[in-house]
Amino acid sequence: PIFGTATDTEEQGAEEVTEERFIKEEGTIGAAVTQLYDNILPQYTSTDSPDIEEINRLYCTEDLRDLGTQCKQKEKETGKLIIDWDWWIQAQDFEEGMTIEDVQTEGDQGYAIVHINMQNGDVRSRLLFRNIDGKWLVDDIYYFDEGDWHSVRKLIRAQI
């Protein structure tokens, strides 16, 4: 299966985003991740309010965007936060820096493991991609916590 287990990259060191093996050519997952974070990260270092809706529109599948919208609607209705952190950086605050640890592709699916440098400790995300009309879009985001990967999609669905 394309997803694998949490131990797939535990032993591997992070690679700089500029490594040739991940940023090969337009139309690859590595190029999609690089474009995504090249767009996102400056927004976190230059403003308190990145345009998350626009980021999601550009880089997420329609299904994941819809789940995000339903999540926000439920939070407004109940007054209770479902996700109290930003799913792109897995935190509320960002210092700077990102590396891609691994990229795997199988047919029209794939994933990239991203290591994000945070002020209070680094975080890892596994972005699950789907190729839709020739463009790699994020279809789920997994965060690593307590020794295992957890799906943002499943977290939202369990709460809405």
Side-chain angles (χ1 to χ4, degrees):
I2 193 70
F3 192 69
T5 65
T7 58
D8 288 347
T9 58
E10 289 293 309
E11 304 290 320
Q12 297 176 10
E15 301 287 340
E16 289 298 318
V17 126
T18 55
E19 281 289 318
E20 282 284 321
R21 68 189 190 123
F22 294 127
I23 306 170
K24 294 184 179 176
E25 58 191 54
E26 183 121 356
T28 65
I29 289 177
V33 171
T34 302
Q35 180 185 26
L36 167 68
Y37 281 97
D38 280 354
N39 183 7
I40 293 174
L41 296 184
Q43 292 187 47
Y44 287 100
T45 56
S46 66
T47 180
D48 289 336
S49 301
D51 189 349
I52 298 299
E53 286 185 23
E54 177 66 5
I55 292 167
N56 292 346
R57 186 188 68 74
L58 291 171
Y59 301 106
C60 293
T61 61
E62 185 176 351
D63 188 47
L64 186 58
R65 288 192 312 265
D66 289 347
L67 278 175
T69 300
Q70 291 173 38
C71 176
K72 293 297 176 198
Q73 288 172 345
K74 184 73 169 187
E75 288 175 345
K76 285 180 184 176
E77 291 170 9
T78 65
K80 176 184 165 192
L81 289 175
I82 295 172
I83 297 178
D84 67 347
W85 36 263
D86 182 299
W87 66 20
W88 293 112
I89 61 169
Q90 308 298 327
Q92 293 174 336
D93 301 308
F94 171 73
E95 191 165 295
E96 64 179 67
M98 183 276 292
T99 54
I100 300 172
E101 291 184 10
D102 191 18
V103 174
Q104 298 290 322
T105 306
E106 186 176 298
D108 67 350
Q109 307 182 59
Y111 71 83
I113 297 177
V114 178
H115 183 99
I116 303 169
N117 304 326
M118 303 297 294
Q119 189 171 10
N120 296 325
D122 298 346
V123 297
R124 296 167 74 211
S125 297
R126 187 177 283 205
L127 307 177
L128 195 63
F129 283 85
R130 296 216 181 275
N131 191 306
I132 299 174
D133 297 327
K135 183 175 180 183
W136 289 102
L137 298 172
V138 177
D139 195 45
D140 200 354
I141 301 168
Y142 287 75
Y143 59 98
F144 194 76
D145 187 38
E146 298 181 7
D148 204 2
W149 292 101
H150 304 274
S151 165
V152 168
R153 180 184 284 279
K154 287 182 183 176
L155 173 69
I156 293 172
R157 280 193 176 139
Q159 299 294 318
I160 59 174

